[in-house]
């Protein structure tokens, strides 16, 4: 099973290299889409001709995802931020990440509940719909960011999409964790207030842990002679960053929030205290681990389409969920962009804070990916969980192939500045 996964990963990277060499930017030809396609093919072969043991070994395990594959992606996301563009657009990024994610989650939850009440799909409780909404409010634009890097799009647009996606995942996970605590309880004003308090507490506590560990790391680097031992220095920095993730998870906070802010603060305060070799090592090591993890995740998504046992396909739920996800992304981007433009008027010579073509690319960047799919596996307490997992998987694949595969064309047609 491991040999199959390594072979798939190697094949994906080779195909990606060939596409990059030939500068192929056509529709539906990208590294993540290639990984999903290869994974789906192998999953189908295993489903038809493989034994039960091999199928089980290749199945997606959300515990491995959260503990091994997700941390390198988050660590590199925070460490690789372009601080100038990021902090220049910090207000817009926070607005999209918090307000936008909450809007998307509630729109998905309420519309799915209405569809369920009209008996157009399987029966779902209101809380199930809201939890499902928090799962699908998590965006994962790895494909979009890779294409943005290739095309060298406008740095402000890149910063907003990148920052919004990273913080959006953190908000969605905290929201999901908060809502699942109330499963089996009646919804009341007291539970809503308790949920809001829990959300704020978890987010702020996780942020403080990540920041504290990053500052401790900075002090260790400043008041020691680790710079004389670059290999040891690189190992300590990596392990301290990872410890922030594990510590938060162990005390029921959000590891993703802690690791994100630990990496951002480390880049700001630790980077100048590192030796030159450690700067290079951490920069490229985090990128390599992140790229390997991302491709592993997409391969797993493809394999799971056919090889995962216990998936339940509901045509009605799948169809309406795809439509509702597109509507919710519109509600969380276009109106929010207009609100930001009204609250932050710009001189006529500069144009609006967020131009309309940037707002539409933000809508296009609303891919659902591995984080949403992994969160769906945490919904073990409901009888509708298998159908929700299957629907989430299909939504992820459709959005990555459909939106991720056409974003290059959208950038060209909308006249977004590149190069």
């Amino acid at each position: 099973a491991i040999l199959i996964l390594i072979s798939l990963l190697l094949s994906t990277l080779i195909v990606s290299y060939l596409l990059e060499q030939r500068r192929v930017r056509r529709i539906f030809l990208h590294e993540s889409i290639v990984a999903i396609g290869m994974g789906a093919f192998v999953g189908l072969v295993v489903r038809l001709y493989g034994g039960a043991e091999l199928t089980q070994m290749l199945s997606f395990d959300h515990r491995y995802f959260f503990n091994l594959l997700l941390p390198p992606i988050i660590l590199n996301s925070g460490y690789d931020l372009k601080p100038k563009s990021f902090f220049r657009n910090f207000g817009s990024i926070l607005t999209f990440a918090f307000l936008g994610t909450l809007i998307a989650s509630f729109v998905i939850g309420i519309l799915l509940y209405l569809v369920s009440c009209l008996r157009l799909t399987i029966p779902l409780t209101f809380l199930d719909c809201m939890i499902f909404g928090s799962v699908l409010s998590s965006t994962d634009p790895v494909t979009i960011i890779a294409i943005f890097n290739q095309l060298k799009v406008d740095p402000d647009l890149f910063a907003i999409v990148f920052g919004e996606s990273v913080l959006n995942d953190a908000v969605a996970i905290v929201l999901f964790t908060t809502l699942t605590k109330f499963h089996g309880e009646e919804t009341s004003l007291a539970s809503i207030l308790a949920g809001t308090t829990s959300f704020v507490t978890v987010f702020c506590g996780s942020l403080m842990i990540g920041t504290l560990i990053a500052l401790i790391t900075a002090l260790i680097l400043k008041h020691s002679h680790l710079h004389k031992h670059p290999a040891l220095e690189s190992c300590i920095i990596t392990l301290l960053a990872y410890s922030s993730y594990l510590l938060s998870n162990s005390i029921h906070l959000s590891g993703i929030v802690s690791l994100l802010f630990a990496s951002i603060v480390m880049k700001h305060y630790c980077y100048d205290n590192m030796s030159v070799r450690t700067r290079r090592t951490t920069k490229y090591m985090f990128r390599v681990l992140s790229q390997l993890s991302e491709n592993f995740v997409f391969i797993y998504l493809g394999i799971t389409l056919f090889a995962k046992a216990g998936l339940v396909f509901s045509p009605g739920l799948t169809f309406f969920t795809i439509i509702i996800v597109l509507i919710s992304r519109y509600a969380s981007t276009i109106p929010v962009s207009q609100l930001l433009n009204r609250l932050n008027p710009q001189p006529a010579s500069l144009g609006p804070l967020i131009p309309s073509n940037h707002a539409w690319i933000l809508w296009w960047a609303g891919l659902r990916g591995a984080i949403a799919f992994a969160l769906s596996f945490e919904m073990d307490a409901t009888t509708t969980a298998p159908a929700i997992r299957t629907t989430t998987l299909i939504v992820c694949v459709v959005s990555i192939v459909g939106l991720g595969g056409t974003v290059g064309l959208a950038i060209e047609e909308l006249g977004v500045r590149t190069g």
Side-chain angles (χ1 to χ4, degrees):
I2 295 175
L3 178 61
I4 291 173
L5 291 173
I6 294 296
S7 301
L8 282 172
L9 182 60
L10 185 60
S11 301
T12 300
L13 294 174
I14 291 172
V15 171
S16 175
Y17 166 75
L18 294 175
L19 293 176
E20 189 71 26
Q21 280 293 102
R22 296 173 183 272
R23 296 184 178 181
V24 175
R25 294 175 182 173
R26 294 177 184 175
I27 299 174
F28 304 126
L29 280 176
H30 196 266
E31 184 177 310
S32 57
I33 298 172
V34 170
I36 290 175
M38 288 185 173
F41 175 74
V42 171
L44 180 60
V45 172
V46 170
R47 179 69 177 267
L48 295 176
Y49 305 107
E53 185 178 357
L54 181 59
T55 303
Q56 180 63 30
M57 291 173 69
L58 287 173
S59 296
F60 184 88
D61 191 327
H62 65 289
R63 293 169 299 177
Y64 291 147
F65 171 77
F66 278 113
N67 291 319
L68 296 176
L69 296 177
L70 181 59
I73 298 173
I74 300 301
L75 177 58
N76 183 64
S77 297
Y79 201 76
D80 217 24
L81 276 176
K82 304 291 187 295
K84 186 177 179 181
S85 297
F86 179 79
F87 287 107
R88 184 169 64 238
N89 296 281
F90 194 60
S92 300
I93 290 169
L94 286 180
T95 305
F96 282 115
F98 284 89
L99 180 60
T101 303
L102 291 174
I103 290 173
S105 178
F106 285 112
V107 168
I108 293 171
I110 292 169
L111 290 182
L112 275 177
Y113 184 65
L114 291 176
V115 169
S116 179
C117 289
L118 294 172
R119 297 183 180 180
L120 298 173
T121 181
I122 60 173
L124 295 166
T125 66
F126 181 72
L127 185 58
D128 283 343
C129 291
M130 295 306 298
I131 293 174
F132 195 16
S134 68
V135 168
L136 291 176
S137 65
S138 169
T139 59
D140 186 20
V142 171
T143 305
I144 301 289
I145 294 302
I147 293 173
F148 278 13
N149 276 322
Q150 188 182 47
L151 297 177
K152 295 181 174 59
V153 300
D154 185 287
D156 288 330
L157 174 62
F158 184 95
I160 292 174
V161 172
F162 186 81
E164 183 257 347
S165 67
V166 172
L167 290 176
N168 158 276
D169 291 340
V171 175
I173 290 175
V174 174
L175 183 61
F176 171 83
T177 305
T178 302
L179 289 172
T180 50
K181 291 179 182 177
F182 298 97
H183 210 280
E185 299 181 10
E186 292 186 4
T187 304
S188 63
L189 181 60
S191 64
I192 293 173
L193 291 174
T196 305
T197 304
S198 175
F199 175 85
V200 174
T201 303
V202 169
F203 195 91
C204 293
S206 305
L207 187 153
M208 290 174 62
I209 287 176
T211 304
L212 182 62
I213 288 180
L215 293 176
I216 291 172
T217 307
L219 289 173
I220 291 173
L221 294 177
K222 185 174 182 178
H223 298 288
S224 68
H225 298 285
L226 280 172
H227 61 275
K228 297 179 180 178
H229 311 279
L232 183 61
E233 187 180 26
S234 300
C235 291
I236 289 175
I237 290 168
T238 304
L239 291 175
L240 281 170
Y242 189 43
S243 68
S244 69
Y245 181 84
L246 297 176
L247 176 60
S248 284
N249 284 342
S250 67
I251 58 176
H252 304 291
L253 296 177
S254 174
I256 189 173
V257 176
S258 295
L259 183 57
L260 172 63
F261 282 96
S263 58
I264 292 174
V265 176
M266 277 184 178
K267 181 64 178 292
H268 190 72
Y269 289 104
C270 299
Y271 197 76
D272 292 333
N273 292 322
M274 299 177 192
S275 64
V276 175
R277 286 186 179 181
T278 301
R279 292 179 190 176
R280 292 174 182 170
T281 301
T282 54
K283 181 179 179 180
Y284 290 105
M285 179 175 65
F286 293 164
R287 282 186 184 178
V288 168
L289 292 175
S290 176
Q291 185 169 9
L292 290 173
S293 297
E294 288 166 0
N295 282 297
F296 255 122
V297 167
F298 287 126
I299 288 169
Y300 261 127
L301 282 177
I303 291 174
T304 307
L305 272 173
F306 297 103
K308 181 69 177 177
L311 296 179
V312 178
F313 177 62
S314 172
L317 181 61
T318 302
F319 173 76
F320 284 109
T321 300
I322 292 173
I323 301 299
I324 289 170
V325 163
L326 295 175
I327 293 171
S328 70
R329 184 62 182 176
Y330 175 89
S332 64
T333 52
I334 307 300
V336 174
S337 299
Q338 295 171 349
L339 175 65
L340 286 170
N341 287 336
R342 289 189 178 185
L343 294 177
N344 301 275
Q346 302 287 312
S349 58
L350 296 177
L353 181 67
I354 301 176
S356 60
N357 57 350
H358 286 198
W360 281 107
I361 293 297
L362 272 167
W363 176 84
W364 219 285
L367 281 67
R368 270 58 182 178
I371 291 179
F373 183 53
L375 283 176
S376 69
F377 276 81
E378 299 282 333
M379 298 181 64
D380 294 327
T382 63
T383 56
T384 55
I388 288 176
R389 289 193 201 106
T390 308
T391 302
T392 304
L393 173 61
I394 295 172
V395 169
C396 291
V397 173
V398 168
S399 67
I400 291 169
V401 175
L403 296 177
T406 57
V407 69
L409 181 63
I411 289 171
E412 184 179 336
E413 291 295 322
L414 290 171
V416 175
R417 188 164 59 96
T418 59

